PDB file of all heavy atoms in Angstrom:
ATOM      1  N   THR A 108      -9.262 -11.496  20.798  1.00 96.00           N
ATOM      2  CA  THR A 108      -9.610 -12.093  22.099  1.00 96.00           C
ATOM      3  C   THR A 108     -10.183 -13.510  21.932  1.00 96.00           C
ATOM      4  O   THR A 108      -9.884 -14.418  22.573  1.00 96.00           O
ATOM      5  CB  THR A 108     -10.639 -11.159  22.842  1.00 96.00           C
ATOM      6  OG1 THR A 108     -10.014  -9.891  23.102  1.00 96.00           O
ATOM      7  CG2 THR A 108     -11.002 -11.843  24.124  1.00 96.00           C
ATOM      8  N   PHE A 109     -11.137 -13.642  20.955  1.00 96.00           N
ATOM      9  CA  PHE A 109     -11.731 -14.935  20.745  1.00 96.00           C
ATOM     10  C   PHE A 109     -10.712 -15.910  20.201  1.00 96.00           C
ATOM     11  O   PHE A 109     -10.791 -17.138  20.500  1.00 96.00           O
ATOM     12  CB  PHE A 109     -12.984 -14.787  19.756  1.00 96.00           C
ATOM     13  CG  PHE A 109     -14.119 -14.121  20.407  1.00 96.00           C
ATOM     14  CD1 PHE A 109     -14.835 -13.139  19.721  1.00 96.00           C
ATOM     15  CD2 PHE A 109     -14.530 -14.444  21.648  1.00 96.00           C
ATOM     16  CE1 PHE A 109     -15.862 -12.507  20.283  1.00 96.00           C
ATOM     17  CE2 PHE A 109     -15.663 -13.851  22.258  1.00 96.00           C
ATOM     18  CZ  PHE A 109     -16.298 -12.849  21.584  1.00 96.00           C
ATOM     19  N   GLN A 110      -9.780 -15.468  19.362  1.00 92.00           N
ATOM     20  CA  GLN A 110      -8.732 -16.343  18.887  1.00 92.00           C
ATOM     21  C   GLN A 110      -7.858 -16.923  20.044  1.00 92.00           C
ATOM     22  O   GLN A 110      -7.546 -18.085  20.116  1.00 92.00           O
ATOM     23  CB  GLN A 110      -7.764 -15.622  17.935  1.00 92.00           C
ATOM     24  CG  GLN A 110      -8.454 -15.297  16.576  1.00 92.00           C
ATOM     25  CD  GLN A 110      -7.475 -14.498  15.703  1.00 92.00           C
ATOM     26  OE1 GLN A 110      -6.924 -13.441  16.152  1.00 92.00           O
ATOM     27  NE2 GLN A 110      -7.378 -14.846  14.383  1.00 92.00           N
ATOM     28  N   CYS A 111      -7.518 -16.006  21.004  1.00 94.00           N
ATOM     29  CA  CYS A 111      -6.755 -16.422  22.191  1.00 94.00           C
ATOM     30  C   CYS A 111      -7.602 -17.391  23.071  1.00 94.00           C
ATOM     31  O   CYS A 111      -7.026 -18.327  23.624  1.00 94.00           O
ATOM     32  CB  CYS A 111      -6.395 -15.192  23.015  1.00 94.00           C
ATOM     33  SG  CYS A 111      -5.112 -14.207  22.225  1.00 94.00           S
ATOM     34  N   ILE A 112      -8.879 -17.090  23.196  1.00 96.00           N
ATOM     35  CA  ILE A 112      -9.738 -17.955  24.007  1.00 96.00           C
ATOM     36  C   ILE A 112      -9.820 -19.357  23.375  1.00 96.00           C
ATOM     37  O   ILE A 112      -9.693 -20.410  24.070  1.00 96.00           O
ATOM     38  CB  ILE A 112     -11.174 -17.420  24.132  1.00 96.00           C
ATOM     39  CG1 ILE A 112     -11.159 -16.098  24.990  1.00 96.00           C
ATOM     40  CG2 ILE A 112     -12.116 -18.428  24.679  1.00 96.00           C
ATOM     41  CD1 ILE A 112     -12.448 -15.349  25.016  1.00 96.00           C
ATOM     42  N   GLU A 113      -9.915 -19.394  22.056  1.00 93.00           N
ATOM     43  CA  GLU A 113      -9.984 -20.696  21.333  1.00 93.00           C
ATOM     44  C   GLU A 113      -8.752 -21.467  21.594  1.00 93.00           C
ATOM     45  O   GLU A 113      -8.767 -22.733  21.909  1.00 93.00           O
ATOM     46  CB  GLU A 113     -10.252 -20.464  19.794  1.00 93.00           C
ATOM     47  CG  GLU A 113     -10.457 -21.806  19.074  1.00 93.00           C
ATOM     48  CD  GLU A 113     -11.231 -21.516  17.757  1.00 93.00           C
ATOM     49  OE1 GLU A 113     -11.092 -20.464  17.201  1.00 93.00           O
ATOM     50  OE2 GLU A 113     -11.887 -22.427  17.286  1.00 93.00           O
ATOM     51  N   SER A 114      -7.595 -20.834  21.515  1.00 92.00           N
ATOM     52  CA  SER A 114      -6.329 -21.495  21.772  1.00 92.00           C
ATOM     53  C   SER A 114      -6.278 -22.018  23.181  1.00 92.00           C
ATOM     54  O   SER A 114      -5.823 -23.142  23.416  1.00 92.00           O
ATOM     55  CB  SER A 114      -5.196 -20.524  21.441  1.00 92.00           C
ATOM     56  OG  SER A 114      -3.930 -21.195  21.648  1.00 92.00           O
ATOM     57  N   GLY A 115      -6.754 -21.252  24.134  1.00 95.00           N
ATOM     58  CA  GLY A 115      -6.709 -21.639  25.532  1.00 95.00           C
ATOM     59  C   GLY A 115      -7.625 -22.843  25.834  1.00 95.00           C
ATOM     60  O   GLY A 115      -7.247 -23.656  26.580  1.00 95.00           O
ATOM     61  N   ILE A 116      -8.765 -22.853  25.136  1.00 95.00           N
ATOM     62  CA  ILE A 116      -9.680 -24.009  25.293  1.00 95.00           C
ATOM     63  C   ILE A 116      -9.073 -25.301  24.781  1.00 95.00           C
ATOM     64  O   ILE A 116      -9.196 -26.314  25.325  1.00 95.00           O
ATOM     65  CB  ILE A 116     -11.033 -23.674  24.666  1.00 95.00           C
ATOM     66  CG1 ILE A 116     -11.728 -22.546  25.427  1.00 95.00           C
ATOM     67  CG2 ILE A 116     -11.914 -24.963  24.640  1.00 95.00           C
ATOM     68  CD1 ILE A 116     -13.014 -22.009  24.670  1.00 95.00           C
ATOM     69  N   LEU A 117      -8.402 -25.152  23.583  1.00 91.00           N
ATOM     70  CA  LEU A 117      -7.724 -26.324  23.006  1.00 91.00           C
ATOM     71  C   LEU A 117      -6.602 -26.854  23.902  1.00 91.00           C
ATOM     72  O   LEU A 117      -6.419 -28.051  24.049  1.00 91.00           O
ATOM     73  CB  LEU A 117      -7.165 -26.000  21.613  1.00 91.00           C
ATOM     74  CG  LEU A 117      -8.130 -25.784  20.489  1.00 91.00           C
ATOM     75  CD1 LEU A 117      -7.471 -25.411  19.198  1.00 91.00           C
ATOM     76  CD2 LEU A 117      -9.009 -26.991  20.257  1.00 91.00           C
ATOM     77  N   LEU A 118      -5.934 -25.870  24.576  1.00 93.00           N
ATOM     78  CA  LEU A 118      -4.919 -26.238  25.588  1.00 93.00           C
ATOM     79  C   LEU A 118      -5.574 -27.036  26.731  1.00 93.00           C
ATOM     80  O   LEU A 118      -5.072 -28.126  27.151  1.00 93.00           O
ATOM     81  CB  LEU A 118      -4.243 -25.034  26.103  1.00 93.00           C
ATOM     82  CG  LEU A 118      -3.339 -25.187  27.364  1.00 93.00           C
ATOM     83  CD1 LEU A 118      -2.226 -26.188  27.067  1.00 93.00           C
ATOM     84  CD2 LEU A 118      -2.794 -23.864  27.783  1.00 93.00           C
ATOM     85  N   ALA A 119      -6.730 -26.486  27.255  1.00 95.00           N
ATOM     86  CA  ALA A 119      -7.438 -27.187  28.355  1.00 95.00           C
ATOM     87  C   ALA A 119      -7.927 -28.567  27.954  1.00 95.00           C
ATOM     88  O   ALA A 119      -7.819 -29.543  28.703  1.00 95.00           O
ATOM     89  CB  ALA A 119      -8.578 -26.360  28.767  1.00 95.00           C
TER      90      ALA A 119
END
Side-chain angles (χ1 to χ4, degrees):
T108 297
F109 290 134
Q110 287 175 316
C111 290
I112 291 173
E113 187 160 26
S114 180
I116 294 170
L117 291 178
L118 169 61

